[in-house]
Amino acid sequence: MSDIPPKKLTLPDLPNEICFEIFKHCNAKTICKVKATSHYWKNTLNSYEFVSEVSEAWKSKGCSIIAHYGFTNKLNSSNDWVVSIDALFGEPNNINVAMVVTNDGWYRVIGVENGIFCFRYCSARNTSYLLAWNPADNSTKLIPDPLGHYCNKCSFIYSFGYFPGSVHYGIVHLFKRKPRQKYWRVTMYFSLERDWVLTLTCPDYVQILDPNYVSVDGVMYWIKLRDADKNPTPLYIVSFSMLTYTFGQIFVPNEATTNYHTLLIHARKLCLAATNYDHETYSSTIWEISAVRETPSWTKLLTTNGYGHPYFPALFIDDDLIQVME
């Protein structure tokens, strides 16, 4: 035998179903290392067919809660940190974010989906950026922040989500150039085009929205905040489809109207957690919303009661999936 190692190894031409059966039991780091060995494995393990299959296998392992902690005091702004908490066992793991932020800077987690983080951050002074980051292989994508094209004092919210059946994602940016401006505007970044692909005027029912949102199947959902100083309006949910560039309005029925509301995604369906509370007790009900019809149906999933004031942190739920980042 020769002591000289071969320059090239011929990989067996395995059927995709056998490759997937082998790799869907591996962790994300192993898959990323194999992808780096050759174009064959990169193309095979980056395919949507494999991503879909491995995602279904990993979902059964549970999910993680992504929590961003920090201080409101500007003197301590550099001490923010992001933690991944196992939803089943409660075991926390610190996440080392991919950007450098100075004492004068800041960052915010816009969203986490399919294993990809989306941040908005500022290293120093007033220049801000958007960053998509895959912690499995530490790859990043720097995205221009559209807020710089308008004004630093305008009202705005961001949201992040994937297109259904695709490895591409979108970032939706709702904004007003001036606080007293009547209509909101929306612009959207599309990873396939690697650019902001549209800007349009929102319908008049898109008013002051809760910045906490959920996304599923390419649709973003927000709760419209009620203004007690003006004429009271029925509570409703605002939706925006990244596929059709259209808005929708889902009214909350009286039996689900309470003191506090937050949106959830359960089994890839939109849900609303409605809570009534006083100084001693609280009662929460989770409703499943079928939003695919002209008149959405509401199904009560569960009700829970407790003592004390409920605490509702802003958390991102991630299914611990691996996803290609374009």
Side-chain angles (χ1 to χ4, degrees), residues 29-39 41-42 45 137:
K29 291 184 179 180
T30 301
I31 293 175
C32 290
K33 288 180 180 179
V34 174
K35 287 194 299 185
T37 59
S38 68
H39 289 291
W41 288 115
K42 180 179 179 180
L45 302 182
D137 58 5

Side-chain angles (χ1 to χ4, degrees), residues 13 23 31 46 48 54-55 79 98 131 167 189 223 288 321:
D13 187 13
F23 284 102
I31 293 175
N46 276 357
Y48 177 73
V54 77
S55 297
N79 292 330
L131 182 75
V167 298
Y189 177 86
I223 296 177
E288 183 181 281
L321 312 182

Side-chain angles (χ1 to χ4, degrees), residues 14-52:
L14 295 175
N16 282 348
E17 56 268 20
I18 296 179
C19 294
F20 296 168
E21 186 64 29
I22 294 172
F23 284 102
K24 72 180 183 181
H25 300 289
C26 300
N27 57 34
K29 291 184 179 180
T30 301
I31 293 175
C32 290
K33 288 180 180 179
V34 174
K35 287 194 299 185
T37 59
S38 68
H39 289 291
Y40 170 81
W41 288 115
K42 180 179 179 180
N43 294 334
T44 301
L45 302 182
N46 276 357
S47 67
Y48 177 73
E49 185 182 1
F50 172 72
V51 170
S52 301

Side-chain angles (χ1 to χ4, degrees), residues 243-263:
L243 295 172
T244 61
Y245 305 154
T246 55
F247 284 89
Q249 190 177 21
I250 305 171
F251 285 95
V252 178
N254 291 332
E255 57 267 29
T257 301
T258 55
N259 299 118
Y260 185 89
H261 300 84
T262 186
L263 295 174

Side-chain angles (χ1 to χ4, degrees), residues 237 250 263 269-272 287-291 296-299:
I237 299 168
I250 305 171
L263 295 174
K269 293 183 179 180
L270 177 65
C271 296
L272 178 73
W287 298 82
E288 183 181 281
I289 309 168
S290 175
S297 62
W298 290 70
T299 304

